[in-house]
Amino acid sequence: MPSRARLDEFIAVVETGDHAGAIERYYTEDATMQENAAAPRVGRDLLVAHERGVLERVENVVSTCVTSILEGDRVAINWIFDFTYHSGKTVRIDEVALQEWRGDRIFRERFFYDPPKPKP
């Protein structure tokens, strides 16, 4: 079960933009991630590689934690991600991440969000 301090540390790392580093440091080796109803990705190495691929496609991403709830081994985080692509196009994703932790690391995570829409 993560402590509030451990969760806040994880959130702070994501908010700095070090998404791949957060996965490397805060996820178990056998962790899974699932986007909406898509099949889960399995294994920390694959998760890191996927995240790096996403980040290569964008100029910048600003990650903001709106709120987080810690209940035993379960965590819910409402994130806002503002992406700026190399073309200048911007997209905002309002996402809820549901996590299950094993000790002080995430081993299962599922994201729920509407498809990205350009910012007004």
Side-chain angles (χ1 to χ4, degrees):
M1 170 173 56
S3 65
R4 170 46 72 176
R6 178 74 171 170
L7 176 58
D8 289 345
E9 183 182 295
F10 165 74
I11 290 168
V13 170
V14 173
E15 287 185 327
T16 70
D18 188 9
H19 297 96
I23 295 168
E24 289 172 328
R25 290 191 298 275
Y26 294 92
Y27 289 67
T28 63
E29 189 175 320
D30 61 342
T32 66
M33 280 185 184
Q34 183 175 359
E35 309 275 338
N36 288 325
R41 294 183 298 278
V42 180
R44 185 174 56 217
D45 292 345
L46 177 66
L47 303 181
V48 169
H50 180 270
E51 196 66 23
R52 286 188 176 134
V54 169
L55 295 172
E56 287 174 3
R57 294 192 304 269
V58 299
E59 181 72 31
N60 185 48
V61 60
V62 176
S63 307
T64 305
C65 174
V66 176
T67 191
S68 62
I69 300 168
L70 170 60
E71 192 69 39
D73 289 333
R74 297 180 187 271
V75 169
I77 303 173
N78 180 197
W79 294 104
I80 300 289
F81 297 109
D82 288 305
F83 292 91
T84 302
Y85 290 85
H86 297 290
S87 67
K89 175 183 170 185
T90 61
V91 173
R92 172 171 277 190
I93 296 177
D94 185 345
E95 170 187 286
V96 173
L98 299 180
Q99 301 172 335
E100 293 181 56
W101 289 62
R102 185 183 303 143
D104 66 350
R105 293 182 182 265
I106 301 159
F107 78 95
R108 185 176 302 140
E109 185 168 40
R110 187 166 182 188
F111 307 114
F112 298 90
Y113 55 88
D114 285 336
K117 299 176 186 97
K119 284 172 50 175

